[in-house]
């Protein structure tokens, strides 16, 4: 039976429905993307803001002038029509100018994340045969590129000459962007990009009055709508600070400050925003009128929760894509949410796009029947100048019409109203008895538990899968209990091997849940976990296991043991998370402080190898700071200058295996770096630098720690001024303090303990400083902390002090936001408060002595602390005495 005759067996109404959903067309603007952006500027004031970023604001005229100047520079560098140009930039106005400048010169935009290691970056350049790399001046100072490439800093190209006209068809490739798996790049034509962006803008009436928040990384397909999509509509593109890229508290502030009207992201990032608003009691700014969401499973409950923190509620639209998340092909505006919905459908095709649900035999599936999603129309048209199948994207002919279709890794079905629903993903499939089973039903069932916020199931080995769940704030349930819950909800074949509770999911660069990282980090259930936790692996195996975990956390394929993890894009938060995972999974101890100072796998496992590894008797004459075959950010260190470690002195003089030798060299280097950090020697001591003028402020010069105090009673006015530094004020209607706090949670509380007769007009005892009211609330009159609670070295300072300031973290105020990182962030806040208090104390003539450790049990009664309260720091205070 042929495909045509099979399709004709469908009922007539279904045939008509399937035809109708793919029968929407609309005029496609003629011209290339860069031409249409320039033409659209004529309808907008030339001085209207086009791009707003922390570094610079560009109006329409300035933007186009910089695009023209960059295009002229590219043409002068030899870029010909169709040539690939590498763009390695951090988010900001430069990424917009770079993209449009490449297109204006007739090139093909190839984004390369600057966070990639040198090897990966160089491979991207050489394989693409790109002769030009666009970057930013500060990145040019840090990153190196092949000598064959001309490197241009976009921020250093000032408006100048107008480029020559370049003849290039709209059907030609405009960009190479990551596909569904985030790895293989897909060539996308001007015509496909323009069609999608203009259709979305028209459907939701995006225009010059709108302001679009740019959240996505420059290499993501999501960035296309947030940048050039907004510019096509005459809207303003708004960037936040790079440091706030994953901070929902910063997003909220930016939404309000910049009066953002359009939000565009995967569901995971929207969920982070809603989590923050619910935890903080804040509301979504009223100006936000539209939320465009897509790229992964969209929980229906997230829409309900979003509307619960919004007044008025924004329009919410679910989007679906073919192979490039962000290049949207389907859309569903969400109105009512039926109770049976667990995930939001991706909707119907946009005009000029087509979607088909086909069986394994490439026949059209009836309504309600699951099949593989295929996309046609503009999204599946190959670029007229694509060189390879991998770049143009794999395509198959439609069984009846022969039109090109793009198959996807997702499975879906057409509902009776013509809306398409995604019900599975190849990345969430497990094979049982040779049959592939979609685990999305398991994810939906887990998410239905009252304690679960999100759930992701990933395959681990043949027939085995692991479910990862993130709990709602305050919820308490363990993996075995959730597994028991699932047994009543899904088929035994859909049960995961185990359920793991996590505080957060790893994310891809565009903000989707990184399923590959979860699968890589999950260890097979056949391993006895208790045994694995109690028994450290052998050295070579340890290196491999730690490398596997690091690759999963950082989203890279491989890492050399001595490679600087910052070169592969690691952040301090990711390093802490990496240390936590290694300790939990492998049962070894990680020196987190050392890892943050010298981030590499060698340092991460050094404490473990210090107990078991043998050190070779002789080291090479010189060693690289990042190991053999990797880029070094520091000069070579002579082996003779490396002091012998205690381990080395005690170890027998044996030859280490070749696999572990570079790692051991890295451990020796670590000691050399440690000595350098302590002032023995620094690699930049003899390097010429740029002189900085100016003097240190007086408060910095005068600030010092006082360990002895005068016996005079402290004036209450001085105490008042000191504590007022921690008060909460309002600026522009928003609460404001003089020090930062992660997520604006401000979990660190201040308590004052006054010694008898040592503060005028203030009785002895403990007090709580109320920051909003800026007053002292009595806690326990007459209470004192005995000197025995302190270390011997600090007891005299306590006896001489007039008062003590205790900084205590209320962990239940920050843990729901940051999970395992909550304690670290609270400690950072305490550090900022300590610095502020010590500077203010200097101006008031007071002396303070910061103390970071003491016996905390007495504080429970003296300060009446709760179960979740955690001591962080104490400052002993009074008028300075002679002793330091």
């Amino acid at each position: 039976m042929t495909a045509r005759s099979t399709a004709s067996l469908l009922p007539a109404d279904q045939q008509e429905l399937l035809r109708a959903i793919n029968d929407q067309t609309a005029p496609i603007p003629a011209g290339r993307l860069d031409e249409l952006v320039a033409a659209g500027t004529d309808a907008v004031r030339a001085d209207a803001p086009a791009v707003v970023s922390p570094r610079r604001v560009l109006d329409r005229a300035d933007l186009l002038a910089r695009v023209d100047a960059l295009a002229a520079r590219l043409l002068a560098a030899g870029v010909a029509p169709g040539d690939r140009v590498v763009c390695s930039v951090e988010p900001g106005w430069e990424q917009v100018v770079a993209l449009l400048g490449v297109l204006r010169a007739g090139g093909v935009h190839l984004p390369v994340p600057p966070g990639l290691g040198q090897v990966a970056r160089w491979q991207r350049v050489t394989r693409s045969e790109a002769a030009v790399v666009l970057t930013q001046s500060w990145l040019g100072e840090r990153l190196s590129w092949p000598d064959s490439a001309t490197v241009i800093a976009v921020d250093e190209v000032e408006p100048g000459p107008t480029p020559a006209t370049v003849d290039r068809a709209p059907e030609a490739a405009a960009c190479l962007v990551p596909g569904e798996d985030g790895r293989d790049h897909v060539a996308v034509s001007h015509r496909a990009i323009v069609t999608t962006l203009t259709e979305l803008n028209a459907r939701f009436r995006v225009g010059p009055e709108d302001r679009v928040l740019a959240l996505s990384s420059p290499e993501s397909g999501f960035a296309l709508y947030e940048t050039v999509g907004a510019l096509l509509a005459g809207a303003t593109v708004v960037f936040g600070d790079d440091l706030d890229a994953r901070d929902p508290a910063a997003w909220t502030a930016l939404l309000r400050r910049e009066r953002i009207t359009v939000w565009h992201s995967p569901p995971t990032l929207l969920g982070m925003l809603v989590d923050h608003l619910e935890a903080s009691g804040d509301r979504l700014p009223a100006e936000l009128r539209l939320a465009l969401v897509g790229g992964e499973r969209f929980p229906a409950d997230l829409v309900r929760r979003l509307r619960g923190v919004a007044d008025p509620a924004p329009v919410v639209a679910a989007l679906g894509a073919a192979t490039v998340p962000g290049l949207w092909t389907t859309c569903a505006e969400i109105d009512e949410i039926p109770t049976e919905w667990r995930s939001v459908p991706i909707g119907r095709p946009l005009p000029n796009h087509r979607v088909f649900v086909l069986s394994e035999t490439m026949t059209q599936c009836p309504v309600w029947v699951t099949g593989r999603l295929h996309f046609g129309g503009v999204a599946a048209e190959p670029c007229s100048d694509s060189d390879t199948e991998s770049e143009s994207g794999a395509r198959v002919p439609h069984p009846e019409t022969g039109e090109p279709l793009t198959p996807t890794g997702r499975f879906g079905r057409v509902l009776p109203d013509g809306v398409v629903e995604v019900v599975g993903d190849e990345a969430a499939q497990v094979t049982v008895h040779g049959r592939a089973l979609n685990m999305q039903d398991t994810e939906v069932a887990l998410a239905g538990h009252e304690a679960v916020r999100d759930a992701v199931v990933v395959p681990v080995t043949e027939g085995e899968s692991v479910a990862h769940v993130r709990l709602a704030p305050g919820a308490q349930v363990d993996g075995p209990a959730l597994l028991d819950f699932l047994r009543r909800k899904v088929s035994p074949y859909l049960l995961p091997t185990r359920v793991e509770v996590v505080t957060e999911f790893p994310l891809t660069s565009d903000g989707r849940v990184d399923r590959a990282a979860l699968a890589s980090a999950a260890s097979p259930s056949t391993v006895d976990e208790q045994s694995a936790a109690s028994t450290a692996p052998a050295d070579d195996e340890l290196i491999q296991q730690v490398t596997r975990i690091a690759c999963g956390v950082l989203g890279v394929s491989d890492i050399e043991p001595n490679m600087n993890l910052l070169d592969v894009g690691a952040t301090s938060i990711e390093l802490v998370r990496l240390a936590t995972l290694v300790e939990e999974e492998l049962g070894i101890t990680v020196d987190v402080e050392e890892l943050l100072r010298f981030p590499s796998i060698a340092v991460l496992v050094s404490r473990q190898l210090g107990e078991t590894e043998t050190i070779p008797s002789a080291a090479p004459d010189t060693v690289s700071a990042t190991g053999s075959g990797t880029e070094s950010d520091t000069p070579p260190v002579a082996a003779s200058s490396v002091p012998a470690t205690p381990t080395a002195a005690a170890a027998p003089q044996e030859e280490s295996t070749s696999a572990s030798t570079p790692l051991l060299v890295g451990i020796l280097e670590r000691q050399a770096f440690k000595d350098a950090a302590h002032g023995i020697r620094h690699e930049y001591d003899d390097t010429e630098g740029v002189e900085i003028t100016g003097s240190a402020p007086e408060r910095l010069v005068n600030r010092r720690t006082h360990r002895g105090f005068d016996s005079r009673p402290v004036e209450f006015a001085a105490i008042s001024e000191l504590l007022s530094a921690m008060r909460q004020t309002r600026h522009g209607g928003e609460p404001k303090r003089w020090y930062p706090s992660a997520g604006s949670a401000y979990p660190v509380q201040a308590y004052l303990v006054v010694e008898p007769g040592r503060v005028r007009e203030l009785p002895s005892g403990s007090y709580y400083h109320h920051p909003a009211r800026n007053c002292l609330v009595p806690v326990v009159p007459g209470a004192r902390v005995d000197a025995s609670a302190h270390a011997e070295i600090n007891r005299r300072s306590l006896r001489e002090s007039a008062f003590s300031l205790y900084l205590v973290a209320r962990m239940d105020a920050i843990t729901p936001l940051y999970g395992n990182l909550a304690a670290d962030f609270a400690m950072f806040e305490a550090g900022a408060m300590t610095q502020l208090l010590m500077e203010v104390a200097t101006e008031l003539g007071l002396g303070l002595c910061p103390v970071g450790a003491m016996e905390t049990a007495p504080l429970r009664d003296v300060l009446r602390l709760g179960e979740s309260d955690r001591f962080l720091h104490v400052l002993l205070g009074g008028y300075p005495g002679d002793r330091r």
Side-chain angles (χ1 to χ4, degrees), residues 249-303:
W251 301 340
T252 305
L254 190 62
L255 289 172
R256 185 169 286 109
R257 183 176 69 249
E258 296 294 341
R259 305 178 71 84
I260 301 297
T261 63
V262 179
W263 171 280
H264 176 257
S265 81
T268 298
L269 295 190
L270 180 62
M272 292 169 60
L273 175 66
V274 174
D275 286 348
H276 167 71
L277 294 175
E278 290 176 339
S280 65
D282 205 350
R283 305 287 292 176
L284 199 67
E287 292 83 5
L288 189 68
R289 69 173 188 85
L290 175 62
L292 302 175
V293 187
E296 59 186 349
R297 189 175 72 84
F298 189 178
D301 185 58
L302 180 54
V303 182

Side-chain angles (χ1 to χ4, degrees), residues 284-436:
L284 199 67
E287 292 83 5
L288 189 68
R289 69 173 188 85
L290 175 62
L292 302 175
V293 187
E296 59 186 349
R297 189 175 72 84
F298 189 178
D301 185 58
L302 180 54
V303 182
R304 302 184 185 99
R305 293 172 54 217
L306 175 66
R307 291 172 177 171
V309 296
D311 187 19
V315 172
V316 180
L319 306 172
T323 57
V324 179
L327 193 63
W328 308 118
T329 54
T330 65
C331 177
E333 184 175 332
I334 310 304
D335 186 12
E336 296 298 324
I337 305 176
T339 55
E340 64 270 16
W341 274 13
R342 293 297 179 264
S343 298
V344 178
I346 61 173
R348 291 171 175 253
L350 291 165
N352 303 308
H353 294 280
R354 293 157 69 80
V355 63
F356 300 90
V357 179
L358 303 180
S359 68
E360 294 181 359
T361 59
M362 292 297 289
T363 58
Q364 177 67 57
C365 293
V367 170
W368 286 116
V369 175
T370 298
R372 185 180 294 272
L373 289 180
H374 293 70
F375 289 87
V378 174
E381 293 177 352
C383 300
S384 60
D385 57 349
S386 293
D387 294 336
T388 66
E389 182 69 10
S390 63
E391 282 191 356
S392 62
R395 288 174 174 81
V396 297
H398 188 280
E400 295 183 24
T401 66
E403 67 176 291
L405 299 180
T406 301
T408 73
R410 282 157 287 140
F411 303 91
R413 58 192 180 191
V414 178
L415 302 182
D417 58 357
V419 168
V420 177
E421 179 186 37
V422 176
V423 298
D425 192 314
E426 282 184 338
Q429 276 190 339
V430 62
T431 303
V432 178
H433 301 310
R435 180 180 178 84

